Amino acid sequence: MTSHGRIGFGDADAATLAGILHEVQSAQAEIEAAQARVTRGLARALTLAQAQSRGASAQVKSRDMALRAIAAEIAAVTRSTDRSVQRRIGATLRSSWTDSPPPWTRGRTVGSRAHMCC
């Protein structure tokens, strides 16, 4: 593998590296697809909370009770806190796009935007 103090790849090492790269790339695609599904689910949770809030009293609406209840349920199954889930759901509301759909609609995400895009 080394020759005169330099690192080089023989055929076997190059083949091994190609396999590693394929494995990592496949795993990354699976992670991104899963993150996209979670974000879509959070967007649906927001829609449900908005529907649940229609017709509610001003006090209930002001406290986002429907959103808080839904966030608590999601937090329970994701081993998270209801406040962090509520922030993530709120982030879907703040996100928007113009000419092209966001990456999550195509099963792709962009770095940390995975939790923010919708």
Side-chain angles (χ1 to χ4, degrees), residues 10-21:
D11 291 342
D13 291 334
T16 300
L17 179 58
I20 292 168
L21 295 176

Side-chain angles (χ1 to χ4, degrees), residues 3-4 9 12 39 44-45 58 70-71 75-77 93-95 97 102 104 111:
S3 173
H4 305 295
F9 289 99
T39 302
R44 290 180 59 217
I70 291 168
V77 300
L93 178 63
R94 292 187 297 275
S95 298
W97 65 90
W104 65 263

